[in-house]
Amino acid sequence: MATVQNGSREPSLVGRLESFLKQIPALRGTRTRVRAELSALVHTIRSGVWRQVFRGRRERNSRRRQLPLVWQSSLSLDSSQPDLAGELRRLGIQYHEGSHALYIPPQAGLAATLGAFVDAYPPEAGYKLLKNPKGPDDAHYIGDLRRHPWVRSALVGTAADLIPVANFLHDQQIAPRLYDVAQLSAGASQLTMFVVQHIAGTCPTKEECATFLSRLRQLSESNQLITSLADWEHHDDFLSPDCNGNLLKSSMDGQLYYVDFQNFLIPEYDTYLHKVLDNARNTVHFGREYLFRGGRYLYQQIPGVASSGKRDIRLRWEQIKALLAQQDVGVRGRVVLDVGCNTGMVLAETLNDGAQWGIGWDLPEVVAHGSKILSALGYTRYHLTGARLAKNYPLMADIPSHLHPQLGNSILLYLAIRHHIGLIDALASVPWQVLVYEGPQEETPDELREVIHQLEEMASCEVAATGEIEDGDCTKRPLVVFRRRSQRP
């Protein structure tokens, strides 16, 4: 217990250390930093957040993850002293500068000035380039340790660590969507690029900001979300009415969006992930309840997560990939379409192998859970559509327009879906290059020959490879790879 002398309390440890530093001229510029480090350290210890965050980070990193795309840009930076702001000015690109990144909003001619990769993303996308010149797996979001506490930098983590956080905020409808975290080649330097939904809007009122902060407080009190800032409610980034420019009222839908995500953390990631799966179980389950499956179990296993399912997704994908490899076909850099995608786990495997984008269709109630599962697992480059698929369903109408130019090189998956909806007409109109067909367990050789004949006629394609697939609780099924007659992979 502190003793009291002359009516005043004995200085705290932090106070004594600060007083000591003031007496050393060479260290006078250091005392503020030491105080900031100690404040951040005390916050992480008292809240227990460091244990939760690092445990969750280890769990995520033990699983396969969406492979970052690598894009070439028009930027040319010196690897020793990269002047990113100066290079953007040289190219005439409009940007806004923050403490850790430079943000490039949508603007005319951006693909010509920054790089052709811009056309691979939605037209409303903005581009946040980290100042820390490293790739997504290595670049800490807070990279300048001369100005910012090391403890907070370690807590926030790398760009890749922030993906589940950004996805969670978007799922809660309090932040814009994160489309991608990619690596950008800029001459001698490599940069990390966040591709985000751009929010054009105005400053909210004090009342609107108070409502938003109340929502954050509820998420914090329920231990769903915490901030990496000590005493966050009094920090500039959360002061009314605009939270230091981070809170905008969208001119499109009138909602409030917090446009930065590095201030937030998911405290119990594994608990959160399993809650998402448990909420989905009754909707995306396979058939009846099974005692030794813990009741109803998922149709698709979730790779890397302790959850049973009828289909062993990793094994299933490896067998499909092997058959594609016989034709020198891989998914890297391609758009992959999955008709009857269930929770999207096959699309997840293609993204792990470097697919540019995954597009899927299934029942609306299934897709609603599939999107949440993909988001919780840290995937961003996907677009799922809830649909009552039928013979005349127009698939092309659901494919985002910015992906249309890439469809001529795309792979379409038609896996274990024909016996539910038949062969839909859109298989002829979608300009895929390769189609993978998986039949039902009970499909006879005669039925398979008829399916092959119908596909060859309707889609002007030919059989490239055949095989069989067996995984999980499924017996052998036929597997066929088709390719367009006018194209070669």
Side-chain angles (χ1 to χ4, degrees), residues 124-262:
E124 71 275 12
Y127 303 88
K128 179 183 289 189
L129 306 183
L130 282 192
K131 293 180 178 179
N132 190 1
K134 297 177 182 177
D137 289 330
D138 301 315
H140 276 72
Y141 192 97
I142 301 176
D144 187 354
L145 300 183
R146 294 170 300 179
R147 299 176 56 194
H148 302 280
W150 176 89
V151 172
R152 185 159 178 253
S153 175
L155 197 62
V156 171
T158 66
D161 292 328
L162 284 169
I163 295 176
V165 180
N167 287 351
F168 176 83
L169 293 170
H170 175 66
D171 289 344
Q172 295 294 319
Q173 298 183 327
I174 56 179
R177 177 173 175 181
L178 175 65
Y179 292 121
D180 200 8
V181 178
Q183 184 169 318
L184 196 65
S185 293
S189 294
Q190 299 297 314
L191 302 175
T192 290
M193 176 177 70
F194 292 88
V195 186
V196 298
Q197 175 190 3
H198 177 72
I199 302 298
T202 57
C203 177
T205 65
K206 290 185 177 180
E207 292 75 16
E208 290 170 332
C209 181
T211 300
F212 175 82
L213 293 176
S214 177
R215 176 83 187 284
L216 286 185
R217 201 173 297 111
Q218 291 173 0
L219 290 171
S220 177
E221 290 171 354
S222 61
N223 204 36
Q224 297 179 69
L225 187 72
I226 53 177
T227 71
S228 59
L229 297 164
D231 195 22
W232 66 272
E233 293 186 67
H234 296 94
H235 193 276
D236 287 349
D237 285 352
F238 294 97
L239 293 183
S240 183
D242 68 346
C243 299
N244 201 22
N246 290 317
L247 188 64
L248 291 173
K249 182 175 183 179
S250 170
S251 57
M252 292 291 292
D253 57 22
Q255 291 190 34
L256 298 186
Y257 291 94
Y258 197 92
V259 298
D260 252 344
F261 38 77
Q262 77 274 9

Side-chain angles (χ1 to χ4, degrees), residues 379-392:
Y379 294 94
T380 63
R381 299 194 304 266
Y382 69 87
H383 178 84
L384 303 187
T385 297
R388 305 287 174 182
L389 295 172
K391 187 177 186 324
N392 62 351

Side-chain angles (χ1 to χ4, degrees), residues 432-446:
W432 48 266
Q433 185 182 67
V434 174
L435 183 148
V436 181
Y437 170 82
E438 179 192 69
Q441 293 179 126
E442 66 275 8
E443 190 166 63
T444 66
D446 287 342

Side-chain angles (χ1 to χ4, degrees), residues 67-107:
L67 188 69
L69 300 177
V70 179
W71 299 107
Q72 298 296 319
S73 76
S74 303
L75 303 173
S76 181
L77 301 178
D78 188 326
S79 59
S80 59
Q81 293 182 323
D83 181 9
L84 181 55
E87 183 66 4
L88 292 177
R89 288 193 297 271
R90 183 184 71 81
L91 294 172
I93 297 174
Q94 301 172 30
Y95 68 93
H96 307 289
E97 186 168 4
S99 298
H100 314 293
L102 284 83
Y103 178 68
I104 303 172
Q107 53 198 273

